Amino acid sequence: MRKWNFCAGPAVISEEVLGEVKEELLEWGNSGMSIMEMSHRSSIYDQVAVDAKNDLIEILSVPESHDVLFLQGGATQQFATIPMNFGHTTNEADYILSGSWSKKAIAEASKVIKVNTIASSEDGGGFNYAPDPSSWKFSPNASYVHYCPNETIQGVSIHDAPNIPKPLIADMSSVILSAPIDISRFSMIYAGAQKNIGPAGLTMVIIDKKFMADDNEDLPNILRYSKHAASNSMLNTPPTFAWYMAGKVFKWIKRSGGLDYFKNQNNLKALTLYSFIDESDFYQNPVKVKNRSIMNVPFILKNPSLDAIFLKESESAGLLNLKGHRSVGGMRASIYNAMPMEGINALIDFMKDFEATNG
Ligand SMILES: Cc1ncc(COP(=O)(O)O)c(C=O)c1O
């Protein structure tokens, strides 16, 4: 029996999508084989790949100026390939430090180029807020500015896309497709698929074509964005099954009402959960209100000696993966697009009961 899965990633996928995939698993269309067994160069697979790309372009209103790439290696590989490709002109870039993932991006980029951490909310290690874009002071020589709009571990967000003069690159792994975004503000957006897009193994990149044209030609082809773009993300064998499933998720988003629908749903879900936490004396969310994530909601029990029993009982109640990241402790409910309001209500009902028994 399927339960409510609050995992940060790989994360819940719509049951409707999983049902379709199940139906098609043994034979895709009239091809005589499953999608997994098919050449990525076949005309049948090509249609699946092109449809997925076009649907994503439609959902996100990706402008003509930008290309969409379906890559591998996860967001972590992007931490390395971004400075390799786009840091080489000045050997310098500006980074914003707002949580564990931007910290990792900085550590990786620092091996390749000079990183200027131009704004940080690490004060005391807490990351309970994000540095406001109005406080970012850019370095004259920075080739680009990198930030993470949604820190999955701390549940800290910078909600509005900054409008800045430098090429802007964003790690949108845990926030992409949760709401409409103005793609034109970004030179590059990247995201591991395993939260709002589909199964792990696929990495989405949306990149300004002019920006991409200046990537580093000394790199091996597999590390260059322009080479992937020139071969329609089929420089080598792509993650065909994950790409196909992402296409299914994009179609599900479209028929559900697109990103405006999900934005409303996600805001409602998050507001309901945060309001409950704020009204309680038993639970607490440490993040500054304006930086609260709508995708990842961390919370602590004021009495941490109850953590283990909370996790055990929540699991028995059918609420899975509520344990906070090992680096921060406490709890975290990841409430991506595929988590319906019913799941939030089930979580709140459990939290109320647990408080009544243990408070
Ligand atoms: C914001 C963010 N960036 C990067 C990563 C790393 O992604 P991957 O495991 O795909 O390399 C994650 C994973 O959870 C993430 O949430």
Side-chain angles (χ1 to χ4, degrees), residues 251-289:
K251 288 215 185 307
W252 168 73
I253 290 176
K254 270 173 67 172
R255 66 175 178 268
S256 302
L259 295 187
D260 287 326
Y261 167 80
F262 281 103
K263 180 182 180 181
N264 286 339
Q265 276 294 106
N266 290 329
N267 281 338
L268 186 65
K269 280 155 38 186
L271 189 68
T272 307
L273 186 50
Y274 283 120
S275 303
F276 168 73
I277 292 169
D278 287 346
E279 279 161 21
S280 143
D281 287 329
F282 190 81
Y283 304 101
Q284 194 184 344
N285 170 280
V287 179
K288 191 171 172 183
V289 172

Side-chain angles (χ1 to χ4, degrees), residues 53-253:
K53 181 173 172 175
N54 288 340
D55 282 336
L56 184 67
I57 289 172
E58 186 183 328
I59 295 168
L60 272 172
S61 304
V62 178
E64 278 284 313
S65 52
H66 285 60
D67 206 346
V68 172
L69 310 180
F70 290 72
L71 305 180
Q72 304 187 51
T76 305
Q77 182 161 314
Q78 302 303 311
F79 294 168
T81 49
I82 289 166
M84 286 173 164
N85 276 275
F86 304 116
H88 67 294
T89 42
T90 63
N91 262 320
E92 219 178 286
D94 287 349
Y95 276 68
I96 314 304
L97 176 55
S98 59
S100 302
W101 288 112
S102 48
K103 192 167 180 154
K104 282 192 202 250
I106 289 171
E108 290 297 277
S110 301
K111 294 178 184 165
V112 184
I113 54 168
K114 178 175 172 237
V115 168
N116 310 308
T117 303
I118 58 162
S120 166
S121 53
E122 193 169 22
D123 340 358
F127 293 120
N128 290 338
Y129 68 99
D132 196 89
S134 61
S135 71
W136 302 358
K137 298 274 178 284
F138 308 112
S139 318
N141 278 338
S143 328
Y144 61 86
V145 177
H146 178 281
Y147 83 117
C148 180
N150 189 71
E151 286 282 0
T152 322
I153 293 176
Q154 284 81 13
V156 167
S157 275
I158 296 168
H159 290 291
D160 296 322
N163 201 355
I164 66 166
K166 293 264 179 190
L168 181 63
I169 301 184
D171 173 1
M172 293 213 180
S173 294
S174 49
V175 74
I176 195 163
L177 301 183
S178 63
I181 35 171
D182 180 357
I183 303 280
S184 67
R185 293 207 177 169
F186 298 89
S187 293
M188 178 175 160
I189 287 168
Y190 64 97
Q194 62 273 16
K195 298 154 200 306
N196 261 341
I197 295 173
L202 174 70
T203 314
M204 298 303 316
V205 168
I206 302 172
I207 185 163
D208 184 303
K209 292 173 192 165
K210 283 197 190 130
F211 178 70
M212 177 168 63
D214 287 334
D215 67 356
N216 183 353
E217 59 185 35
D218 293 334
L219 292 173
N221 288 350
I222 194 74
L223 301 178
R224 288 184 67 189
Y225 296 95
S226 62
K227 293 293 174 187
H228 285 284
S231 56
N232 292 321
S233 306
M234 296 213 188
L235 184 64
N236 65 332
T237 315
T240 53
F241 188 71
W243 189 330
Y244 148 84
M245 272 196 75
K248 293 261 169 223
V249 172
F250 301 155
K251 288 215 185 307
W252 168 73
I253 290 176

Side-chain angles (χ1 to χ4, degrees), residues 23-39 42 44-45:
E23 281 296 308
E24 292 171 2
L25 198 64
L26 289 183
E27 185 183 8
W28 198 90
N30 293 318
S31 66
M33 66 190 95
S34 88
I35 198 92
M36 279 177 277
E37 301 164 299
M38 200 175 278
S39 165
S42 63
I44 309 178
Y45 189 81

